[in-house]
Amino acid sequence: MQIRGANALVCGAGGFIGGHLVNRLFAEGAASVRAVDVKPFDEWYQQNPAAQSQVLDLQEKEACLEATEGIDAVFQLAADMGGMGFIENNKALCMLSVLTNTHMLMAARKNQVKRFFYSSSACVYNGDKQTNPEVVALKEEDAYPALPEDGYGWEKLFSERMCRHFHEDYGLETRVARFHNVYGPLGTWTGGREKAPAAICRKVLEAKASGKHEIEIWGDGHQTRSFMYIDDCTKGVVDIYQSDILEPINLGSSELVTINQLVDLAEELAGVKLKRIYNLDAPKGVNGRNSDNTKILHYLGWEPSIKLRDGLARTMTWIEQQMLTGVTTTK
């Protein structure tokens, strides 16, 4: 099913990825986009004036029924989540997102939605396969036997299974992408829910501005990750949605870096060199995680077009603008 001409719904549209996705769907020719989030409008990261914007609590079944009325295409991104510091300390809150996913699937079925996209996470992958910084890139089948990130990862894996069974039992067309560390402008950069690229950009800029040339790094800095720029993410979402891929599939960059290398890049972009203080007691997640993009490259010819250095430069420029204009809290 094509986006062009469709009536689309973005759940979590007031968030980072959701806000960018609304813009992408209009660019792809959607007939209409309904943008829904639980946050008040003044707390949305961005709003597209062409969208039908609504404030609804999608943990409630009736709200999901209202949101899906007259909708062809659902993009379910709504969830309580954040960076590693947030998900390690809010496991129950992350698990409660299962209410949103369950009620959205039920509402999509009742209102005869044509296709349902669900944003899963690389946190579903078996932790035993992520103990070494020199990690072998994770293939889709590495989610089983199941040993996901406690709390957040378990909820994501369960919701993947819900999508599968709603397709098998009720015929609802579902698509699932496993996001790997999405970053970019107009995202969370302070307040505790930010991901590593934004947190490091902020810390480097703060250290430079204050003259106190040091930075705290969570863990020993040898942890490895890959980071996908937001524009690559939203293109991948649309491509997967329009595809015939029934199983969950990776959506991420395979450009693996250590956290120390990420700091190196941020320092270079900011023109500063900092003393590094390693907090070994802070949440740091798995030792190594990377995306194996063999399947998505084979099926869709998709691969990230924006290198980490370029994406990080755009992100740092935006964060610096926020700091200079006196923005001190996240949405």
Side-chain angles (χ1 to χ4, degrees):
M1 177 185 169
Q2 298 297 302
I3 289 299
R4 183 167 297 279
N7 297 312
L9 165 66
V10 177
C11 307
F16 166 49
I17 301 175
H20 283 278
L21 182 59
V22 169
N23 300 335
R24 170 72 70 171
L25 295 177
F26 276 120
E28 295 286 341
S32 69
V33 179
R34 185 174 297 158
V36 173
D37 203 286
V38 70
K39 295 188 290 292
F41 288 130
D42 62 358
E43 294 181 13
W44 288 31
Y45 289 89
Q46 56 179 314
Q47 286 189 59
N48 188 312
Q52 306 164 19
S53 298
Q54 293 179 273
V55 174
L56 293 171
D57 183 355
L58 297 178
Q59 288 193 1
E60 303 294 333
K61 183 179 177 182
E62 291 304 316
C64 295
L65 288 167
E66 179 182 343
T68 52
E69 184 70 35
I71 292 296
D72 304 310
V74 168
F75 294 85
Q76 170 27 20
L77 278 66
D80 258 315
M81 60 87 67
M84 190 52 59
F86 178 81
I87 66 175
E88 284 199 4
N89 292 304
N90 295 275
K91 294 184 176 69
L93 191 61
C94 290
M95 291 290 285
L96 284 173
S97 293
V98 74
L99 293 173
T100 301
N101 300 322
T102 302
H103 289 149
M104 279 302 305
L105 283 165
M106 293 170 68
R109 179 194 175 208
K110 184 169 184 178
N111 282 332
Q112 299 182 321
V113 166
K114 294 183 173 67
R115 188 165 289 184
F116 185 102
F117 173 92
Y118 175 61
S119 61
S120 186
S121 166
C123 289
V124 303
Y125 283 112
N126 187 312
D128 285 346
K129 296 180 180 292
Q130 302 171 77
T131 59
N132 191 330
E134 297 178 9
V135 65
V136 175
L138 294 161
K139 299 179 182 293
E140 284 77 2
E141 53 267 30
D142 290 332
Y144 296 94
L147 188 61
E149 186 83 36
D150 198 11
Y152 180 72
W154 275 110
E155 187 279 321
K156 287 293 187 183
L157 192 62
F158 175 82
S159 293
E160 285 189 7
R161 304 295 291 194
M162 287 281 286
C163 289
R164 171 180 170 175
H165 297 312
F166 265 71
H167 172 66
E168 293 173 343
D169 295 355
Y170 303 129
L172 177 64
E173 287 286 330
T174 57
R175 301 291 183 268
V176 176
R178 291 174 179 161
F179 289 6
H180 289 248
N181 292 316
V182 188
Y183 74 101
L186 294 167
T188 305
W189 59 276
T190 187
R193 292 190 184 227
E194 65 273 21
K195 299 289 186 71
I200 288 172
C201 284
R202 186 199 78 242
K203 289 180 178 182
V204 168
L205 289 169
E206 287 174 341
K208 180 181 179 180
S210 69
K212 187 179 180 182
H213 286 184
E214 61 182 40
I215 182 173
E216 181 186 74
I217 297 172
W218 288 6
D220 60 11
H222 297 302
Q223 315 96 283
T224 50
R225 294 291 188 276
S226 63
F227 301 98
M228 171 175 53
Y229 191 69
I230 183 62
D231 292 355
D232 286 322
C233 175
T234 57
K235 182 181 187 306
V237 167
V238 171
D239 288 353
I240 292 169
Y241 173 86
Q242 295 182 148
S243 77
D244 295 324
I245 303 169
L246 296 179
E247 70 269 24
I249 191 164
N250 281 333
L251 184 61
S253 171
S254 58
E255 184 183 353
L256 188 69
V257 294
T258 66
I259 297 301
N260 278 328
Q261 289 171 329
L262 187 63
V263 176
D264 289 342
L265 272 177
E267 288 177 335
E268 184 180 337
L269 291 167
V272 68
K273 196 68 179 173
L274 307 176
K275 177 184 177 182
R276 301 181 186 189
I277 300 169
Y278 295 96
N279 184 349
L280 302 182
D281 296 323
K284 67 182 184 68
V286 297
N287 287 324
R289 177 182 292 156
N290 195 16
S291 178
D292 186 309
N293 288 344
T294 303
K295 280 191 176 181
I296 194 168
L297 188 58
H298 171 73
Y299 285 133
L300 302 176
W302 179 95
E303 57 183 343
S305 63
I306 300 169
K307 294 295 185 182
L308 179 58
R309 179 187 173 83
D310 297 331
L312 200 66
R314 299 179 196 179
T315 305
M316 179 173 280
T317 297
W318 178 79
I319 291 174
E320 187 170 29
Q321 289 170 349
Q322 302 306 296
M323 295 171 68
L324 290 172
T325 54
V327 177
T328 57
T329 57
T330 186
K331 300 284 182 116

